[in-house]
Amino acid sequence: MNRNIKSALISVFYKDGLEPIVRKLNELGVTIYSTGGTQSFIEGLGIPCTAVESVTSYPSILGGRVKTLHPKVFGGILARRDFEDDQKHVAEYEIPLLDLVIVDLYPFEETVKSTSDEKTIIEKIDIGGVSLIRAAGKNYKDVVIVASRNEYGNLLDILNAKHGETGIEDRRKFAAAAFAECAHYDVAIAGYFNQAEDASFQLSVGNKQSLRYGENPHQQAAFYGDIDALFTKLNGKELSYNNLVDVDAACQIISEFSKPSFAIIKHTNVCGVAEREDVVSAWEAALAGDPESAFGGVLVTNQPIDLEVAQKINELFFEILVAPAFNEDALALLKGKKNRILLQQKESFYPKKEYKRILNGVLVQQADTTNYADWKEAGARNCSDAEKENLVFANIVCKHLKSNAIALIKDKQLVGKGCGQTSRVDALRQALEKSKQFGFDLNGAVLASDAFFPFDDCARLAHEAGIKAIIQPGGSVRDNDTIEYCKAHDMALVLTGTRHFKH
């Protein structure tokens, strides 16, 4: 059923984008009701509006906490136009019918981000706005509800195209968007009050961005979130589902390093990573770790991209490069391929929590932000200073490989890795084969494992390859087998007490 908009209630926090709507409503002869700052804004445009206070006979009270919470306001929204009893009450109590409600919500999330002052935060919990939105949404068969400035464009299009008339589907779409707005708002407030783990999982993320497809072309997909808060896209096509997954992995590993570092990601696994004194050396060492897998990968660094490193990177086909800054000449060179995605990272990123859909529920866990809890020297000797630096580096790298995982490191360069294997010894065999494939000498290298060694077979293979030091969590009932082997073969062994499974 179509409805004509004859009257409107407008009360918003954000005024940007409102002017053309108000002018169109005035052009259509719509009676406008308003209050407070919105009323002043409308009158400032030279457009007449009726103060809500003149309808309710009550002023704004309690410091603005109560403005529109009145039967004459809610009656005008909730009255069903085709219910005889409702219309009798409207006439009896002189309630003005409201056909359009434009109301947004106080900026609660923005306030939480900008201050820790609880009094200020609490005052940004909207009461009247949520109530008005829900009332208008409930009565969508008769009333249009616009609950966000994001919907202003849609409303203006309808006003222009239909001259103030709306169809039932129009109103239902606005109501759906309005209830989603309220739900997101309530989740944010609940999250503020429930700092500890609570009995229900609540997460609301807006800013939907439809993707070309999901993990595979036959799967539909979308990204929800404000990616522009993390990156400025300087070049290239839109990020795909798989791009986003790999960029997430890239940002997590690079955030672990403070010295100049470069990493190459493929299917969320790091296939090359190195730490050096300068960005060019870091890139060359990272690429050398596995130049075959680097093809078509996601590159990430914690250093600005200058022309010298850009020239070297430009020799490789890659999907994405993430860096904190790009020199102008480097950017001009890298932009030579229009589909190549260049992301300037605005701030370091590492999640606090991780979520995963499992069966008919959701798993939630703290992110793995730890490197090691203990440093127990359990081998034939204590690590040298150089070995310790490399073991710490190796343990970080191994944490970012899919389990079962092994990382071989020499001079803070990944020289072999095994990941996603069903046994630990197979992961080591894969890592050794990779190091052999690219000509690395493993004498003096170190090894990191994401979980304990159930047998001494990994220590044996490592020793035979020339590896001198191992870091692993420990905790196996047969830890002593590995400990005794390392003691007998002059190998350093560190037990950390911290496992790093990644699935």
Side-chain angles (χ1 to χ4, degrees):
M1 181 181 295
N2 290 348
R3 298 291 190 197
N4 283 313
I5 298 174
K6 299 177 182 178
S7 60
L9 170 64
I10 307 176
S11 180
V12 296
F13 185 87
Y14 296 106
K15 312 298 189 297
D16 47 310
L18 184 62
E19 181 178 346
I21 291 174
V22 172
R23 292 195 182 280
K24 186 63 181 180
L25 292 174
N26 184 58
E27 178 188 319
L28 293 170
V30 175
T31 301
I32 299 175
Y33 298 89
S34 191
T35 184
T38 307
Q39 179 184 347
S40 299
F41 173 82
I42 295 171
E43 291 174 342
L45 298 174
I47 295 171
C49 68
T50 302
V52 170
E53 290 87 344
S54 69
V55 176
T56 63
S57 299
Y58 273 89
S60 173
I61 62 173
L62 305 182
R65 282 188 164 195
V66 180
K67 299 176 185 176
T68 55
L69 295 168
H70 192 279
K72 280 200 171 183
V73 175
F74 282 87
I77 297 171
L78 287 165
R80 290 160 289 190
R81 279 34 170 191
D82 53 358
F83 271 49
E84 185 178 345
D85 284 348
D86 284 11
Q87 294 309 305
K88 285 181 179 178
H89 286 141
V90 166
E92 180 181 355
Y93 297 108
E94 299 179 337
I95 298 173
L97 292 175
L98 296 170
D99 305 311
L100 169 64
V101 175
I102 303 177
V103 173
D104 63 8
L105 301 171
Y106 289 159
F108 179 81
E109 289 178 284
E110 293 85 345
T111 305
V112 171
K113 290 176 183 177
S114 65
T115 182
S116 59
D117 180 60
E118 186 172 60
K119 181 180 178 181
T120 302
I121 292 170
I122 295 302
E123 286 307 310
K124 287 298 182 287
I125 297 176
D126 206 315
I127 304 301
V130 173
S131 301
L132 291 166
I133 291 169
R134 291 179 66 87
K138 178 176 181 177
N139 200 25
Y140 75 90
K141 290 186 177 180
D142 297 309
V143 179
V144 180
I145 172 61
V146 176
S148 166
R149 54 186 168 173
N150 295 330
E151 296 294 329
Y152 286 179
N154 294 330
L155 175 62
L156 191 58
D157 287 344
I158 290 173
L159 292 176
N160 286 323
K162 298 184 178 182
H163 310 291
E165 187 175 85
T166 63
I168 186 68
E169 286 305 314
D170 297 326
R171 298 191 295 275
R172 187 180 179 88
K173 286 180 181 178
F174 280 119
F179 282 120
E181 195 76 18
C182 289
H184 180 85
Y185 196 76
D186 286 342
V187 168
I189 295 170
Y192 172 76
F193 281 96
N194 296 320
Q195 298 294 330
E197 295 295 330
D198 52 23
S200 64
F201 174 77
Q202 296 177 336
L203 181 67
S204 179
V205 183
N207 300 317
K208 179 183 178 181
Q209 176 186 333
S210 295
L211 304 176
R212 284 171 290 162
Y213 52 81
E215 210 161 3
N216 300 292
H218 62 276
Q219 294 172 268
Q220 293 184 346
F223 173 75
Y224 294 84
D226 185 10
I227 198 167
D228 292 338
L230 296 177
F231 307 102
T232 299
K233 186 157 79 72
L234 304 175
N235 190 67
K237 58 187 178 182
E238 292 301 316
L239 288 160
S240 70
Y241 181 101
N242 292 328
N243 289 158
L244 289 163
V245 172
D246 281 343
V247 168
D248 178 70
C251 290
Q252 289 190 45
I253 188 170
I254 206 66
S255 72
E256 303 264 19
F257 307 120
S258 55
K259 292 183 178 179
S261 302
F262 231 113
I264 304 168
I265 306 298
K266 201 74 173 289
H267 296 293
T268 74
N269 285 301
V270 55
C271 59
V273 62
E275 183 181 278
R276 291 292 185 265
E277 292 302 315
D278 62 86
V279 67
V280 174
S281 301
W283 163 249
E284 292 175 333
L287 179 62
D290 189 345
E292 188 174 76
S293 296
F295 183 84
V298 172
L299 319 181
V300 63
T301 182
N302 56 7
Q303 299 296 303
I305 297 295
D306 59 24
L307 182 59
E308 184 181 1
V309 73
Q311 289 171 332
K312 292 180 179 294
I313 293 171
N314 198 49
E315 297 172 1
L316 176 76
F317 169 73
F318 63 90
E319 287 272 345
I320 302 171
L321 171 59
V322 183
F326 292 79
N327 291 0
E328 287 187 16
D329 49 2
L331 185 60
L333 174 66
L334 294 170
K335 279 185 171 182
K337 295 186 178 180
K338 65 178 183 178
N339 287 332
R340 178 184 281 166
I341 300 170
L342 304 176
L343 298 177
Q344 183 171 332
Q345 188 171 5
K346 298 178 181 179
E347 58 185 47
S348 181
F349 167 76
Y350 206 100
K352 295 180 180 179
K353 288 186 178 181
E354 294 175 339
Y355 317 98
K356 183 180 289 189
R357 182 213 56 78
I358 294 294
L359 301 174
N360 61 348
V362 179
L363 286 174
V364 182
Q365 67 173 356
Q366 291 180 330
D368 186 2
T369 58
T370 302
N371 189 349
Y372 54 87
D374 299 316
W375 190 274
K376 181 181 178 182
E377 302 273 4
R381 56 183 175 78
N382 287 348
C383 300
S384 67
D385 290 344
E387 284 175 332
K388 182 170 184 178
E389 285 188 12
N390 277 285
L391 287 171
V392 170
F393 185 87
N395 212 42
I396 290 172
V397 173
C398 194
K399 183 175 79 170
H400 292 274
L401 293 169
K402 292 290 182 70
S403 300
N404 289 305
I406 295 288
L408 306 181
I409 300 293
K410 189 173 183 179
D411 299 327
K412 292 190 177 178
Q413 176 190 21
L414 180 63
V415 295
K417 51 94 178 50
C419 53
Q421 300 301 302
T422 52
S423 74
R424 194 150 309 284
V425 70
D426 277 346
L428 177 53
R429 290 190 186 108
Q430 184 188 53
L432 293 172
E433 182 59 34
K434 276 289 184 182
S435 67
K436 180 181 178 181
Q437 179 183 354
F438 300 112
F440 288 106
D441 178 5
L442 293 181
N443 283 296
V446 305
L447 178 156
S449 173
D450 63 336
F452 64 64
F453 293 150
F455 308 103
D456 65 4
D457 50 2
C458 285
R460 290 177 184 275
L461 284 175
H463 176 254
E464 291 169 5
I467 293 166
K468 304 299 184 185
I470 294 173
I471 186 169
Q472 55 122 330
S476 169
V477 295
R478 298 186 62 170
D479 270 353
N480 201 52
D481 292 358
T482 299
I483 292 170
E484 290 303 316
Y485 185 89
C486 290
K487 285 182 176 179
H489 293 84
D490 194 36
M491 297 176 72
L493 173 65
V494 175
L495 304 180
T496 66
T498 304
R499 190 180 71 186
H500 290 296
F501 272 168
K502 184 181 180 185
H503 297 103

